[in-house]
Amino acid sequence: MSIPAQGVALSLRGRVKFISSNLVFLIFLVLTALAVFVPFSPALPGEGLDPSWMLAMNQAIAQGLVIGSDIAFTFGPYAAIYTKAYHPATDHLMIWGAMYLGLSFALAVYRNFKNASWTMQLALLFVLGAFIYFPDALLFFYPLLVGASLYRSVAADEIEKTGTRTFAAIVVALFIPLGLLPLIKGSALVACIVIVLFSAFLLVKTGRRQLAAACCLVPVVSMMAFWGVAGQPVAALPRYFQSMLPIISGYTEAMSLSGSARELLAYAAEASAIVILVFLRKDVPLFLRSTAALMFSCVLFLAFKAGFVRHDGHAVIASTTLFLVAMLAGTLLSRYKALVLFLVAAAAWSYIDRAQIKTSPQTAFHNFKSTYLNAWTGMASRISVPGKLKEDYARSLAELNARGMVPALEGTVDIYSYDQAYLIASGNKWNPRPVLQSYSVYAPALADKNKEHLVGPNRPDNILFKVQPIDGRLPALEEGPSWPVLISDYEPSSFVNGYLLLKHRQPGSITPAQSNSVLKRTASLGEQLILPATNKALYAKINLQKSVLGSLSNTLLKPSQLEIRVTTANGIEKKYRMIASMAAAGFVLSPLVESTEDFGLLYAGTNFLKGKAVASISIEPVGRNIFWRNSFEIELFALEYKADEGVIGKYGFAQVEDRTGFGNPVLVEKCDGSIDSANGVSPAQTVVSAAALLNVNGWLALSADAAELPDKTYLMLTSEQGTRYFVETQQTERPDVGAHFHKPQLNQSGYVATADVTKLAGDYTLGLAYEKGNSMFMCPQFKMKTHIGR
């Protein structure tokens, strides 16, 4: 039967049109993928939301540190592809690695979307260009693209049509990046393993065992190759994954934040629809569609956990992944079902985005344009001015150094808890502990690893220490097991820009801290536990266990949070977040250490923190107690170490003065301002207690209406005999005050002071005074009762 010439012409025109349209799509896809993945205009130190760990990971590679041994973190040697952070020593890994990944991504997308409608192709390009706020969405999406491509080929029996050798080459090309993704961010390993196993199953099930073996072997070989190219010893690769296991497994409880349940439901509804529609596809065998549904389910679940465990801006990881996956699923379905999935996914993404990022149409189009524009200008700049990035990097380090004001120190230095950028920018020799950010030390194994670093031969000579808890945690939980070592093996030198500078003691002068058990018992959640009265610091180990439902909840999403209520000897009750795994590792429970200054006083002995001795505690879950076992084990140890009261004089705290040069201060009619807190006590509470230090902050203005500020602000302590003592404060920014009064000048009205009051004793009234035009004035309305004494 002959085909009419007209039919041949129409067929040829249709094929030419199809090829030309797909060629246009492929070109724009490659350009978009390179623009999205390759940081031609990388971030410089000091830019971004959390520059410290970004710079730290690059610096670790530059110093030749081994990831997994010297550094234990969830990011690997190619972390710069994720962070897009520039470092002269890692720029080549970032650029070439991202370029390869971008091209592979374009290939995987093209294989899945080449037969999609032009509207779906355009929508995909727009989403990639405008809505990728977190690279995690792409790290989840790429493995699923690979799995979907293989599923599509098996379902359509394309392998024989393409040719075994050609298809094998395609498999190798698609599976090589699965060895790179976990070296960017270790948690991507799970998605890669899932896709590799399901892909191998599909190939074995259809009798293609050699291709199945290639699916499994290619990512392993490529991972070893990428690891070696990054300058890491191949023998250390297993330790990279071993070291991050406790970080990943402990993340759910330690880093969780609550959010809107409606966002979870919106995600779950669309994700369920995607999986169900993929499974119900009737034109493919059951084992094929079941495998495809499982691949989609696993990736969507991983994105769900990544987005909603820490339910803040991270939620857009889940929503963006959902959007991309919905479009991918649409390529396997009819156009009507694909359109419905797309619209519902767009609605879910918009709902979640509106609560977190608030992307407007104008912002979306700006993001889309900037994706291409920044890539072009960055590439042009690299070619035309090849040394500019290094110059900008040096300038950024100088700016960071000016902010951090870290002095040049002899020997190696580490910094606690997470401001590594300031230390690296200072030019000191950085000697990091393995888990380099203290908020990530949320498992006993991690805490022990950092503690062992402090007592090992490679311990740092100097430490810049700051108490910086996150998420309202009990401050002493972070690096808890390391505190006794810091107290015994290091001696305080001074305060440097808010950090306590610690220097390693001479080997002969180290007196290790000793601990003796003073209490061991079983307690119940909600029970008020009275602590033994002692003049020693109390070190605690608390074993809190999840219930069966709590363990299940921890796997599926997250359990409820725990909180600890602490009542101190001066009658103050405070509430903090308790992390079970950190409590099990051990921490200083009493005295209550809330600040870097409090930690510094530990060196002088507990007498200076008597008012902060913990009298009792109670631990209970937030909400209903269904996720935690009701009983828990607690053991308390009396911590004995060599104290030195003389260290207080090294700290450079503000001194108490009588200001006799000003004569008699003038009592004014009114001041505008506030004492926000004094030693953690608010003005609404009656008595401030101080043994060694008085820490006060607030704001003061002569007149808020006139936005008139004093030249200097003073704390004023008036004894029962009427003697006045003054403490000069430091000015701090208070943009909240300026915003409240609509007076930008009041942004500079803040004050803060940490005063050494060891020379005073008795009952005082705490007030405020100020200096204006070489005269001293007293404010009438601030009168907080204050007791000073040990």
Side-chain angles (χ1 to χ4, degrees), residues 151-163:
Y151 158 78
R152 191 187 306 272
S153 297
V154 172
D157 201 21
E158 290 180 358
I159 299 177
E160 300 301 333
K161 298 174 185 176
T162 306

Side-chain angles (χ1 to χ4, degrees), residues 96-284:
W96 293 110
M99 191 172 293
Y100 176 75
L101 187 57
L103 292 173
S104 300
F105 182 84
L107 172 63
V109 170
Y110 181 75
R111 283 186 55 79
N112 284 281
F113 283 83
K114 63 184 177 181
N115 294 319
S117 66
W118 69 267
T119 51
M120 187 63 73
Q121 293 175 346
L122 186 61
L124 176 69
L125 294 177
F126 187 78
V127 170
L128 290 173
F131 299 142
I132 306 300
Y133 295 109
F134 288 87
D136 302 71
L138 300 177
L139 300 186
F140 288 129
F141 192 45
Y142 181 81
L144 187 57
L145 285 168
V146 172
S149 174
L150 191 66
Y151 158 78
R152 191 187 306 272
S153 297
V154 172
D157 201 21
E158 290 180 358
I159 299 177
E160 300 301 333
K161 298 174 185 176
T162 306
T164 304
R165 289 187 178 181
T166 302
F167 191 79
I170 293 173
V171 167
V172 170
L174 290 175
F175 277 78
I176 284 176
L178 296 184
L180 173 60
L181 297 185
L183 304 186
I184 298 172
K185 190 173 185 180
S187 53
L189 177 67
V190 180
C192 294
I193 289 176
V194 165
I195 297 304
V196 166
L197 292 179
F198 281 128
S199 298
F201 170 77
L202 286 178
L203 291 169
V204 168
K205 189 76 174 174
T206 54
R208 298 173 176 90
R209 296 181 179 275
Q210 290 183 328
L211 282 177
C215 288
C216 297
L217 290 175
V218 166
V220 175
V221 174
S222 71
M223 184 182 294
M224 295 172 65
F226 282 118
W227 181 262
V229 168
Q232 299 288 302
V234 175
L237 183 56
R239 290 199 297 271
Y240 167 59
F241 295 107
Q242 291 169 2
S243 68
M244 75 172 64
L245 280 176
I247 302 178
I248 294 173
S249 62
Y251 178 89
T252 296
E253 188 224 334
M255 299 297 289
S256 66
L257 289 178
S258 299
S260 168
R262 292 182 179 181
E263 294 177 39
L264 303 181
L265 291 173
Y267 182 94
E270 171 67 358
S272 300
I274 291 171
V275 173
I276 290 170
L277 289 175
V278 169
F279 176 75
L280 292 178
R281 186 179 172 185
K282 298 297 185 181
D283 56 337
V284 293

Side-chain angles (χ1 to χ4, degrees), residues 126 129-131 133 349 359-370:
F126 187 78
F131 299 142
Y133 295 109
W349 174 87
T359 303
S360 66
Q362 294 83 356
T363 303
F365 282 104
H366 172 75
N367 292 346
F368 183 72
K369 182 177 69 174
S370 297

Side-chain angles (χ1 to χ4, degrees), residues 266 270-271 274 319-327 338-352:
E270 171 67 358
I274 291 171
S319 63
T320 307
T321 305
L322 183 71
F323 209 165
L324 294 170
V325 171
M327 286 188 278
L339 178 61
V340 171
L341 274 186
F342 176 82
L343 293 177
V344 176
W349 174 87
S350 178
Y351 182 75
I352 296 169

